[in-house]
Amino acid sequence: MARTVHCVKLNKDAPGLDVQTYPGALGKRIFENVSKEAWQMWLRQQTMLLNEYRLSTVDPKAREFLVKEMEKFFFGEGSAPPEGF
């Protein structure tokens, strides 16, 4: 049976993630509070950010930027799309 979480992004009960998708404390917080649907929304946002800002996931500064955007997306004011979107 699928786990249900009260999704902080969608503000409703929805199926939760099957596994922790990100390491550490932030990953645990996401696992406990984010639905599968909201995670898919983040993956689309992350892809847009990677493409529009031409980020490389091997660059530590790019990874740091993406982590901050992920925290804002789920637990803050939201991750803003790049200019022009």
Side-chain angles (χ1 to χ4, degrees):
M1 186 171 153
R3 341 174 2 258
T4 301
V5 297
H6 186 78
C7 181
V8 295
K9 181 70 177 173
L10 304 175
N11 195 27
K12 68 177 184 178
D13 290 340
L17 296 165
D18 295 325
V19 295
Q20 186 171 321
T21 56
Y22 195 79
L26 177 59
K28 184 176 185 202
R29 189 172 176 205
I30 289 169
F31 182 72
E32 293 172 350
N33 297 290
V34 172
S35 68
K36 287 181 181 181
E37 181 182 356
W39 182 253
Q40 291 303 312
M41 292 168 61
W42 163 248
L43 292 179
R44 288 190 294 276
Q45 174 75 3
Q46 177 180 251
T47 300
M48 183 180 5
L49 294 170
L50 285 164
N51 291 336
E52 291 303 313
Y53 293 132
R54 293 175 168 64
L55 301 174
S56 170
T57 56
V58 296
D59 178 6
K61 288 183 182 180
R63 287 195 312 266
E64 184 179 318
F65 169 77
L66 289 171
V67 169
K68 287 179 183 176
E69 290 299 307
M70 182 169 45
E71 286 182 287
K72 289 191 312 189
F73 185 82
F74 291 122
F75 306 110
E77 69 275 7
S79 174
E83 272 191 46
F85 281 88

